[in-house]
């Protein structure tokens, strides 16, 4: 396992490059052994690295300051920096502990070059901070505009099926009344039939009740007729009684009251059945 770098692949320097710019490079040792490191660059006159070599204990990290010297003028905006850094590292075993620091790297490059681990970092020039802020805002606006356009397109793409579904729903709804009207027609017929039967039964009950009342009235009239006849016979034996004389005058020429009640009952039944 080798060292870990932060940043891991690119060291960026922000314009204007006509001023000295300093950036940091963090080197971590995640191994169980001490590690010796050394930093090299393809442009040693352009960059100052401090420290450019050293030792990192297990689980520790070290900050390396990389300062880029000021340029006479900014390179063009589309200029691509080709400068690179090379970070070499090697584990310090018990045998290598006896080697002096100044002799460690010459010894490793001569005797154990295959055990040296290397990581490369590119250099990049970034636009000025104001330009970067403007660019970020423009990108945000473009993203927002793209999002809105996408949502509108999706809405338009979804709209036709919804409209079709609405039309189908409308047509289905418009067709529904015919089915409901048939059901309601059948239901109304059955309800009407049931209502007529109920009405006839109710009228028959009323007729029976009226007949019963008429029969009771006939019986009452027959009883009164018998009473009047009895009083008539009593008045014949006692002609001076004023009451009997008045009752005798009210009698309709000897026509029985039961006949009158019976005729009325027959006329009612006839009218009910035929009219």
């Amino acid at each position: 396992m080798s060292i870990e770098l932060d940043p891991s692949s690119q060291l960026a320097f922000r314009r204007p490059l006509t001023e000295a710019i300093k950036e940091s490079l963090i080197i971590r040792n995640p191994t169980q052994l001490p590690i010796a490191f050394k930093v090299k660059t393809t442009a040693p006159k352009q960059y100052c690295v401090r420290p450019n070599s050293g030792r990192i204990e297990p689980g520790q990290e070290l900050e390396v300051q990389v300062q880029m010297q000021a340029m006479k003028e900014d390179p063009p905006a589309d200029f691509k920096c080709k400068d690179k850094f090379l970070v070499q590292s090697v584990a310090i075993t018990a045998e290598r502990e006896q080697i002096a620091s100044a002799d460690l790297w010459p010894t490793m490059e001569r005797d154990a070059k295959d055990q040296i681990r290397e990581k490369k970092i590119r250099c990049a020039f970034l636009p000025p901070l104001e330009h970067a802020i403007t660019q970020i805002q423009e990108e945000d606006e473009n993203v927002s505009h793209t999002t809105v356009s996408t949502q509108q397109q999706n809405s338009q793409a979804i709209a036709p099926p919804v409209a079709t579904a609405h039309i189908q729903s409308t047509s289905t709804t418009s067709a529904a009344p015919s089915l409901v009207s048939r059901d309601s027609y059948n239901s109304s017929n059955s309800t009407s039939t049931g209502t007529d039967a109920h009405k006839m039964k109710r009228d028959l009950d009323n007729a029976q009740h009226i007949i019963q009342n008429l029969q009771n009235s006939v019986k009452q009239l027959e009883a009164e007729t018998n009473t009047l006849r009895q009083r008539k016979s009593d008045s014949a034996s006692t002609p001076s009684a004023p009451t009997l004389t008045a009752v005798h005058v009210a009698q309709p020429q000897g026509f029985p009251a039961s006949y009158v009640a019976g005729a009325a009952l027959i006329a009612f039944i006839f009218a009910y059945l035929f009219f």
Side-chain angles (χ1 to χ4, degrees), residues 2-12 24-28 85-87 118-123:
S2 62
I3 58 174
E4 296 177 353
L5 302 180
D6 185 16
S8 60
S9 60
Q10 177 176 285
L11 196 61
S24 296
L25 175 64
I26 305 299
I27 303 176
R28 297 188 183 92
F85 287 91
L86 177 66
V87 181
E118 296 181 346
K119 286 194 173 183
K120 295 179 180 180
I121 299 179
R122 295 182 296 103
C123 292

Side-chain angles (χ1 to χ4, degrees), residues 181-195:
S181 61
R182 292 178 182 178
D183 294 339
S184 60
Y185 176 76
N186 295 332
S187 177
S188 61
N189 286 339
S190 60
T191 304
S192 177
T193 304
T195 303

Side-chain angles (χ1 to χ4, degrees), residues 15-264:
R15 298 171 184 265
L17 304 178
T18 53
E19 301 176 357
I21 304 172
K22 184 182 294 186
E23 295 292 338
S24 296
L25 175 64
I26 305 299
I27 303 176
R28 297 188 183 92
N29 178 12
T31 68
Q32 302 297 323
L33 295 173
I35 286 181
F37 74 91
K38 183 169 61 173
V39 182
K40 296 181 179 181
T41 179
T42 58
K45 294 182 179 181
Q46 187 66 39
Y47 301 96
C48 178
V49 181
R50 293 289 183 271
N52 60 357
S53 63
R55 172 178 172 141
I56 305 176
E57 299 299 325
Q60 300 297 316
E61 64 181 30
L62 180 69
E63 181 180 1
V64 176
Q65 296 291 331
V66 180
Q67 181 173 331
M68 187 182 71
Q69 306 299 323
M71 298 182 181
K72 293 181 179 181
E73 61 181 9
D74 266 339
D78 58 350
F79 177 79
K80 292 184 179 181
C81 182
K82 297 181 180 180
D83 299 337
K84 296 179 181 179
F85 287 91
L86 177 66
V87 181
Q88 296 177 317
S89 63
V90 64
I92 302 176
T93 61
E95 295 81 5
R96 295 168 187 163
E97 287 282 3
Q98 307 302 323
I99 303 174
S101 299
D103 298 333
L104 178 61
W105 284 104
T107 302
M108 294 300 300
E109 290 176 356
R110 183 183 67 248
D111 299 335
K113 190 174 182 179
D114 58 336
Q115 297 183 17
I116 298 176
R117 301 291 182 262
E118 296 181 346
K119 286 194 173 183
K120 295 179 180 180
I121 299 179
R122 295 182 296 103
C123 292
F125 297 155
L126 300 181
L129 186 60
E130 296 79 5
H131 178 74
I133 294 174
T134 304
Q135 185 176 5
I136 292 173
Q137 291 176 350
E138 291 177 354
E139 291 177 356
D140 291 341
E141 291 177 357
N142 292 334
V143 170
S144 301
H145 179 71
T146 303
T147 303
V148 172
S149 300
T150 303
Q151 291 177 352
Q152 292 177 352
Q153 292 176 359
N154 292 337
S155 301
Q156 293 175 357
I158 294 173
V162 173
T164 304
H166 177 70
I167 294 173
Q168 292 177 354
S169 177
T170 305
S171 62
T172 303
T173 306
S174 62
S178 62
L179 298 177
V180 174
S181 61
R182 292 178 182 178
D183 294 339
S184 60
Y185 176 76
N186 295 332
S187 177
S188 61
N189 286 339
S190 60
T191 304
S192 177
T193 304
T195 303
D196 293 341
H198 180 72
K199 183 178 179 181
M200 293 178 64
K201 183 177 183 302
R202 183 181 60 188
D203 293 342
L204 182 59
D205 293 338
N206 291 335
Q208 291 178 351
H209 181 70
I210 293 172
I211 292 172
Q212 183 66 35
N213 291 336
L214 289 174
Q215 290 177 351
N216 293 335
S217 299
V218 169
K219 290 181 181 180
Q220 185 176 2
L221 289 173
E222 289 178 352
E224 291 179 357
T225 300
N226 293 332
T227 302
L228 290 174
R229 286 177 180 178
Q230 183 65 35
R231 289 180 179 179
K232 182 179 179 181
S233 61
D234 293 340
S235 63
S237 59
T238 310
S240 59
T243 304
L244 295 177
T245 303
V247 171
H248 177 72
V249 175
Q251 178 67 30
Q253 297 180 358
F255 193 81
S258 60
Y259 292 169
V260 176

